[in-house]
Amino acid sequence: MTLTLRNIAKTYPGGTRALLPTDLDIAEGEIVSLLGPSGCGKTTLLRIIAGLETADAGAEIRFKDDDMTHQPVERRKVGMVFQSYALFPNMSVRGNIGYGLKMQGLPRAQIDARVDEVIALCRLEPYAGRAIGALSGGQRQRVALARAFAPRPRLLLLDEPLSALDAALRGQLRDELAALLRQFGITAIFVTHDQDEAMAIADRVAVMSQGRVAQIGTPEALYRAPQNAFVARFVGNSMPLGGRIEGDQLHLPGGTLALAAPSDGMAAFVRAEDVRLAQDGPLTARVTAVTFLGTHYRIALSGATDQTLFCLHQGQSAPKPGETVRLAIAPQSILTLTPEKAAA
Amino acid sequence: MGKALQLAVTLLAAAFLLVPTIQSVLAGVTVNYFQGISSGLTLDWIGVVWELYASSIFLSLGIALACLCVTLVIGVPAAYALARNPGRLSRAVEEFISLPLAIPGLALALALLQLYGSYKGFRMSWTFILVGHVLYTLPFMVRSVQSVLAAIDLKTLEEGAATLGAGPARRFFDVVVPNALPGILAGALTVVTLSIGEFNLTWMLHTPFLKTLPVGLADSYASMRLEIASAYTLIFFVMIVPLLLAMQWASARAQQITK
């Protein structure tokens, strides 16, 4: 099902604008992630799509050709997975999964058949008869997903579905969730503040900041070609280099870097993994801290730019704090943005 | 030494509570209280009480059940509304419905008499006493249900049900009520127990033809032989003690959820 959102905004009674007017189009079967820090409006947007919150006047929500703007939540046929799962403690796993089908007034036999099907799909067979209180966090998450999916919703909405789990489990369930959503073949919107989650699960990611969509695109596009400083920092962990650009030269306190193209008046950014230690590099910097992170070292450097510059260094050894090192950054890995985009 | 003292104090306290009860119960099955136990034991007095006051017993049970129905129908939705809309207004409403707890039953009864006393049919009917009992017991039902509802994430549970296609009524009966059940049960037992035992307010509201169990008890103390009054107490105990036990069990269960 295609989803069309036009002019969706949310202003709270106090005047706080949680969401600025937003347009969004989601294609049939597409999985889109709303990614952003807390307070960016991503959950508000999701809840407006679900019908759990009302948008400001002038909004338009269409599910395929049906105008849903003024439909109450119970008539929108959306499946939703809540951050806290919101499973009914007074019902068993089966009862929870069958509840939406019961609401559709289906005959008993059909409900049972569909519940069995979804239980098998989500590999919940051993837990079907259990009470919700007897499940682990990961099992609850799958039951919540199964419950949302069982009534064949037109759209699946997931609000931080993994954030209630501990870190070790999260990685594993992230891949499971991605695989299940593909298997469902359903249009889905998935809210998260974790960029790894967004990239692993979504076809397209809408990065949100301060109530607006900063950029929407495939994970690769966001990572490689961020259109503003917020996306560059949030998705790519890019650092502003500062300094002064003259033609294709970037003058920094620690030396001069070459750029791929003349970029007068623009601002330059770089990612820590693109900063290399090199004997013959053009930048000089002093090591201020070294953190060993298993696969690599994270080295904090001062003197090269106005701020602290980080370098992710893969190698058997790292320089010691206090040492002076030389750095190189390849011209094509330096991102340049116009001042207005750099300020966003 | 310390232990022995502790035991002695405990036993004394228990005796302080139990001896009058036992004495009263014994008086109810003694042939002649003034001659003492030596005059023999009998169940005749209980029979006499039954003959004289069976209507009071049934009236009390009837009023207690009716009171339970009314407090369920008003109290559960009220508790739900208060739990769903926390705020200053809700606090005020909560305090307001709790007022009958602080006001003496006599004053409450007087107010009811002043307001409805001139409606003869209502004044003479058992429903008049029922109104007093509902006013007095409603806060117990509301608070009991509300404390359980406050402990669960009601809003999200309801949102979950709504996304699955449940309208407001289905959400209330499928999600709210089942999850509030321990609180409803604890509240229900409290309401029934309080209604059966209520004297203050009922004494003001009753008519000679409508005596509830405790009013009949007072009547028997005032006008019957001590043995009959004591036998009456015995019947009252038999009715109220199981209710009290069930109430304790239910509140303990409700508290487990609130934790």
Side-chain angles (χ1 to χ4, degrees), chain B:
Chain B
M1 186 60 209
K3 278 241 171 95
L5 188 70
Q6 236 177 28
L7 186 67
V9 170
T10 310
L11 284 177
L12 263 174
F16 179 72
L17 292 169
L18 276 175
V19 166
T21 314
I22 293 169
Q23 195 179 3
S24 183
V25 166
L26 273 178
V29 290
T30 306
V31 173
N32 186 326
Y33 180 70
F34 297 100
Q35 287 173 15
I37 288 282
S38 56
S39 63
L41 295 174
T42 174
L43 291 177
D44 287 353
W45 301 124
I46 292 175
V48 174
V49 171
W50 187 256
E51 239 167 71
L52 289 170
Y53 294 106
S55 66
S56 288
I57 292 168
F58 287 121
L59 178 67
S60 264
L61 288 176
I63 288 178
L65 284 180
C67 184
L68 173 61
C69 292
V70 176
T71 50
L72 280 176
V73 169
I74 302 175
V76 177
Y80 166 69
L82 291 174
R84 272 309 300 268
N85 308 296
R88 211 179 301 163
L89 188 68
S90 289
R91 299 279 329 159
V93 171
E94 210 186 312
E95 294 306 322
F96 183 73
I97 56 173
S98 300
L99 268 182
L101 295 181
I103 298 172
L106 292 174
L108 199 63
L110 188 66
L112 286 175
L113 285 169
Q114 281 170 336
L115 190 59
Y116 300 115
S118 52
Y119 302 91
K120 272 286 170 281
F122 181 44
R123 170 71 186 92
M124 307 298 287
S125 140
W126 64 276
T127 53
F128 192 50
I129 297 175
L130 175 65
V131 168
H133 281 206
V134 167
L135 278 178
Y136 173 59
T137 55
L138 189 62
F140 292 93
M141 177 63 87
V142 172
R143 294 210 157 185
S144 175
V145 176
Q146 200 189 349
S147 68
V148 169
L149 288 182
I152 53 181
D153 186 0
L154 196 60
K155 180 167 169 269
T156 313
L157 284 182
E158 273 202 77
E159 285 182 350
T163 59
L164 292 165
R170 290 305 302 249
R171 300 203 284 266
F172 184 73
F173 287 107
D174 289 351
V175 176
V176 179
V177 171
N179 287 300
L181 214 52
I184 294 175
L185 192 62
L189 286 160
T190 311
V191 165
V192 170
T193 310
L194 286 176
S195 172
I196 289 180
E198 211 297 319
F199 175 73
N200 263 337
L201 188 141
T202 321
W203 184 74
M204 284 281 278
L205 299 182
H206 87 278
T207 68
F209 307 102
L210 285 171
K211 286 188 209 133
T212 62
L213 201 58
V215 173
L217 200 61
D219 184 80
S220 73
Y221 290 171
S223 54
M224 300 288 158
R225 292 181 60 131
L226 197 56
E227 292 87 346
I228 296 180
S230 302
Y232 201 143
T233 312
L234 181 59
I235 291 180
F236 188 74
F237 270 141
V238 168
M239 287 180 62
I240 213 84
V241 168
L243 274 172
L244 278 173
L245 290 176
M247 189 169 97
Q248 264 189 348
W249 168 81
S251 331
R253 252 188 47 155
Q255 250 153 38
Q256 264 174 11
I257 291 191
T258 326
K259 263 193 310 204

Side-chain angles (χ1 to χ4, degrees), chain A residues 47 52 73-74 78 80 82 84 86-91 99-100 102-103 147 151, chain B residues 153 155-157 159-168 170-171 174-175 178-179:
Chain A
R47 290 175 60 84
L52 294 170
V73 46
E74 60 266 28
V78 294
M80 183 139 171
F82 292 82
S84 60
L87 296 172
F88 308 130
N90 55 310
M91 299 177 202
Y99 187 75
K102 207 171 105 188
M103 289 304 105
R147 182 180 74 171
Chain B
D153 186 0
K155 180 167 169 269
T156 313
L157 284 182
E159 285 182 350
T163 59
L164 292 165
R170 290 305 302 249
R171 300 203 284 266
D174 289 351
V175 176
N179 287 300

